[in-house]
């Protein structure tokens, strides 16, 4: 536990961590909370803010602060760039430690396995907390910029449909989902920290990996839908990298088990890959 706290302090007490969270906040402002299907046009948060149109804000409850907050991770630039931004803080810290040659002294005090495991836990926690903090700050921002949901005079049935468990639980689930996705997206960067010291490469490869992965799942789903392969069409969604964001909202047992298994397998393979790479090094303290 002490090792984990130590590594978390190294990651949190840097301008890079706050910079990463700030970058996520800015990306959230590019999300599109509302699409007008009559004219086939989507409105981004920034577009609505700069338009300063009261009529536009009043046109749909989707412009309420809680709905805008809820759209932060609904695709777009945010989920695309999180695999690069979320790991920034721990990658900078790990690379600095590697170059400082301090790792050898650290391993002599804790042992190989404890050192590797504490680094892994601190890495995924840092990535998850970074994304969760960014989404939380975005939510606070839109709370001041957009009207409350009560201003739209929705009926109790509509409110229940939008927030089955209540508004507070809705917000908590969104924050937990943000944490899970941040942790999940940080795993590839962790194993890459063992392969090289080039921070740019460590951060760019996960972006490419998630992009190709998501594109492949999308194309397979589209192919199954167009050809009427219902079995494949219903089986493939849990294997999308963004399925993590739907884990807390799904009521399908298959989706929950499959998505949880993908997350767990992803974490286990990342940790094992890191350990195996370290064990092949002649000097495992470097």
């Amino acid at each position: 536990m002490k090792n984990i706290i130590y590594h978390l302090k190294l990651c949190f007490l840097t301008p890079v961590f706050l910079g990463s969270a700030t970058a996520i906040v800015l990306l959230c402002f590019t999300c599109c909370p509302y699409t007008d299907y009559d004219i086939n046009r989507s409105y981004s948060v920034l577009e609505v803010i700069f338009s300063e149109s009261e009529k536009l804000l009043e046109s749909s409850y989707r412009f309420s602060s809680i709905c805008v907050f809820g759209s932060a991770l609904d695709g777009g630039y945010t989920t695309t760039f999180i695999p690069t931004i979320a790991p920034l803080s721990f990658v900078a810290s790990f690379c600095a430690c590697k170059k400082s040659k301090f790792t050898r002294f650290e391993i002599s005090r804790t042992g190989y396995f404890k050192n590797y495991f504490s680094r892994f836990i601190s890495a995924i926690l840092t990535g998850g907390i970074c994304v969760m903090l960014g989404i939380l700050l975005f939510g606070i921002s839109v709370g001041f910029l957009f009207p409350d949901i009560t201003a739209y005079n929705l009926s109790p049935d509509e409110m229940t449909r939008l927030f089955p468990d209540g508004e507070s639980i809705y917000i908590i689930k969104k924050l937990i989902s943000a944490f899970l996705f941040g942790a999940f997206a940080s795993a590839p960067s962790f194993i890459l920290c063992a392969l090289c010291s080039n921070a740019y490469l460590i951060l760019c490869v996960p972006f490419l990996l998630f992009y190709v992965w998501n594109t492949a799942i999308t194309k397979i789903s589209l192919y199954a839908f167009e050809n009427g392969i219902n079995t494949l069409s219903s089986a493939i969604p849990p294997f999308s990298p963004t399925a993590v964001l739907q884990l807390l909202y799904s009521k399908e047992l298959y989706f929950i088990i499959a998505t949880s298994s993908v997350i767990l397998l992803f974490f286990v393979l990342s940790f094992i890959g890191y350990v195996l790479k370290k064990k092949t090094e002649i000097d495992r303290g470097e």
Side-chain angles (χ1 to χ4, degrees):
M1 183 59 72
K2 289 182 179 180
N3 293 337
I4 295 173
I5 294 174
Y6 168 74
H7 286 297
L8 286 175
K9 284 182 179 179
L10 288 180
C11 297
F12 290 157
L13 300 179
T14 60
V16 181
F17 178 78
L18 290 178
S20 300
T22 303
I24 290 172
V25 175
L26 296 176
L27 282 173
C28 288
F29 278 95
T30 65
C31 70
C32 299
Y34 175 66
T35 299
D36 189 340
Y37 292 102
D38 292 333
I39 59 175
N40 196 26
R41 180 181 177 183
S42 296
Y43 294 89
S44 70
V45 178
L46 282 176
E47 186 178 1
V48 176
I49 292 173
F50 287 122
S51 70
E52 298 182 350
S53 172
E54 289 293 332
K55 185 177 180 181
L56 180 61
L57 285 175
E58 294 171 359
S59 64
S60 173
Y61 68 84
R62 298 298 303 175
F63 291 121
S64 64
S65 55
I66 191 169
C67 289
V68 173
F69 164 74
S71 68
L73 291 173
D74 292 345
Y77 294 113
T78 313
T79 51
T80 301
F81 287 100
I82 277 178
T84 295
I85 297 173
L88 259 175
S89 50
F90 79 78
V91 167
S93 174
F94 284 11
C95 288
C97 287
K98 196 171 184 179
K99 291 176 182 177
S100 68
K101 311 298 182 182
F102 181 73
T103 307
R104 184 186 293 108
F105 172 72
E106 189 180 344
I107 288 177
S108 67
R109 294 182 58 193
T110 62
Y112 290 115
F113 182 81
K114 284 185 178 180
N115 180 265
Y116 299 156
F117 186 71
S118 64
R119 282 175 177 267
F120 172 70
I121 296 298
S122 62
I124 61 174
L125 285 178
T126 301
I129 293 172
C130 178
V131 177
M132 185 172 67
L133 178 61
I135 300 301
L136 176 61
L137 293 175
F138 172 71
I140 294 172
S141 301
V142 298
F144 290 103
L145 296 171
F146 290 85
D148 189 76
I149 188 71
T150 55
Y152 293 88
N153 298 317
L154 299 179
S155 67
D157 290 340
E158 289 177 306
M159 289 294 290
T160 302
R161 178 178 59 83
L162 290 172
F163 315 109
D165 303 312
E167 295 173 56
S168 299
I169 300 299
Y170 176 82
I171 293 171
I172 291 171
K173 281 186 175 182
K174 283 291 180 182
L175 293 175
I176 294 175
S177 297
F179 172 82
L180 290 174
F181 186 67
F184 182 71
S186 298
S189 292
F190 174 75
I191 188 173
L192 287 170
C193 285
L195 299 175
C196 65
S197 300
N198 188 324
Y200 299 104
L201 189 62
I202 293 171
L203 295 171
C204 289
V205 170
F207 167 81
L208 183 62
L209 170 65
F210 273 74
Y211 177 78
V212 172
W213 182 1
N214 193 52
T215 302
I217 295 296
T218 301
K219 289 191 173 183
I220 292 172
S221 299
L222 183 61
Y223 171 82
F225 175 77
E226 290 177 345
N227 291 274
I229 310 175
N230 296 328
T231 305
L232 180 60
S233 182
S234 59
I236 202 69
F239 298 96
S240 169
T242 55
V244 180
L245 297 171
Q246 304 301 322
L247 181 61
L248 299 181
Y249 301 95
S250 178
K251 298 185 183 300
E252 296 181 17
L253 184 60
Y254 166 74
F255 184 91
I256 295 171
I257 294 175
T259 304
S260 301
S261 300
V262 170
I263 296 171
L264 183 61
L265 182 63
F266 204 63
F267 284 152
V268 170
L269 290 178
S270 297
F271 179 66
I272 291 176
Y274 182 88
V275 173
L276 291 177
K277 176 60 180 68
K278 283 295 184 180
K279 282 186 174 294
T280 61
E281 295 177 0
I282 297 175
D283 184 355
R284 283 178 277 174
E286 292 293 335

